[in-house]
Amino acid sequence: MSTDRTRPAGRRDQSGPRSAPTGPRSTPSGLRSAPTGPRSAPSGPRPVPPQRSRRPQPHRPLRPHQWFAERLLAVLSGQRPVHWMLGHTIGEAYDQLAELAPSTPLRATHGSRPVLRHCRGAQPATGVVEAFASIAAGDRVRAMAFRLEQGADQRWRCAAVELGGERLTAGAPGPR
């Protein structure tokens, strides 16, 4: 074994390390073998880790109320057709959306596309989520509330929608 502590055991060249080896070492006969001998800790001060950058965190899956808020916003702003919500609504909610979608109550104002600012939900009972969202389009901020119910198949479906304090009912014009 080598007594020189600056080189790993078995190293014969006199130059220092250039880069970390990427694979097993070759023996003079051309056969590869596993590295042998103890590894010594690097001498000198440890390098300072780089500063943390403000990169976005890995994408987390949306909660049911956030997912529905995005979908309802897309339909009520005219970005998506109402049948996009087919199968995700129960009761009169789909009929309400079908009546309201053509009037696009959350449409863009002055060229600015509406965006979901905040969305929060509460679970008053098992299998029920009541949520609210604030939606911004230009200098306007609108409120939307909706109720989700979980079916026997464990899927969430929208059961009711309210916009800006007025209940969205079929046949009634949306708020302006």
Side-chain angles (χ1 to χ4, degrees):
M1 181 182 277
S2 173
T3 58
D4 186 1
R5 292 196 172 258
T6 61
R7 257 186 240 94
R11 188 172 178 137
R12 290 180 177 79
D13 64 341
Q14 296 301 316
S15 63
R18 289 182 187 87
S19 65
T22 57
R25 296 181 186 169
S26 295
T27 60
S29 63
L31 300 174
R32 294 188 181 263
S33 65
T36 58
R39 291 188 170 211
S40 61
S43 60
R46 288 186 156 182
V48 177
Q51 293 292 326
R52 285 185 144 179
S53 64
R54 291 197 166 251
R55 283 189 229 153
Q57 296 297 322
H59 182 69
R60 292 187 319 188
L62 294 176
R63 292 183 171 171
H65 60 277
Q66 294 167 325
W67 188 82
F68 272 92
E70 291 283 353
R71 290 181 84 90
L72 289 169
L73 171 62
V75 169
L76 294 174
S77 65
Q79 297 171 27
R80 290 288 193 163
V82 72
H83 69 266
W84 196 48
M85 291 295 290
L86 192 62
H88 299 292
T89 55
I90 57 174
E92 294 182 16
Y94 183 80
D95 296 333
Q96 293 171 355
L97 289 173
E99 288 286 326
L100 290 165
S103 67
T104 59
L106 296 177
R107 69 187 170 280
T109 58
H110 306 294
S112 60
R113 187 173 176 175
V115 293
L116 186 65
R117 289 181 52 196
H118 300 287
C119 184
R120 303 282 188 265
Q123 194 166 4
T126 303
V128 175
V129 172
E130 291 181 348
F132 67 92
S134 65
I135 298 156
D139 58 351
R140 287 180 55 183
V141 178
R142 301 287 303 270
M144 177 174 64
F146 52 97
R147 179 182 174 96
L148 304 177
E149 295 179 4
Q150 193 173 30
D153 59 356
Q154 300 302 305
R155 292 180 56 204
W156 291 97
R157 291 180 178 86
C158 184
V161 179
E162 292 183 16
L163 187 63
E166 296 182 28
R167 184 172 179 88
L168 300 180
T169 58
R176 299 270 171 195

